[in-house]
Amino acid sequence: MNQSSHNSPRKFSGRKGIPQTWVLLGFLAVAGFFLITEHRAHLFGALPYLLLLACLLMHAFMHSQQGHGGHASVQDDERRDP
């Protein structure tokens, strides 16, 4: 064996980051599990407020395009029919 073969970098077939990805996903799963189990009371206590916030955000985003007057009316339907 010559010296250059020991110092040459190994070539991987595109799977270089797979072990690090699995370790990261495992860590995030365990951390998420403990966050949910330890803070369940805080999460469930905030659900009514999150539901209210979701309603307000949906209302704001759904009316941002046309405003309150942009709903289809009977007059618009009559104009489309020949």
Side-chain angles (χ1 to χ4, degrees):
M1 236 192 239
N2 61 20
Q3 186 73 8
S4 64
S5 66
H6 287 290
N7 294 335
S8 64
R10 293 182 182 175
K11 293 184 180 181
F12 295 102
S13 60
R15 298 179 58 160
K16 190 175 184 180
I18 296 296
Q20 292 89 357
T21 304
W22 282 107
V23 169
L24 177 65
L25 288 175
F27 174 76
L28 290 176
V30 170
F33 172 76
F34 281 116
L35 277 174
I36 290 172
T37 56
E38 295 296 324
H39 298 284
R40 186 178 302 160
H42 303 297
L43 291 174
F44 289 154
L47 280 179
Y49 301 110
L50 292 174
L51 183 63
L52 243 145
L53 180 65
C55 291
L56 292 172
L57 288 173
M58 285 192 319
H59 184 81
F61 285 120
M62 303 229 0
H63 285 294
S64 66
Q65 296 293 326
Q66 300 172 348
H68 279 280
H71 297 288
S73 64
V74 176
Q75 296 168 351
D76 291 337
D77 291 336
E78 289 174 357
R79 279 188 256 169
R80 285 188 213 142
D81 292 335

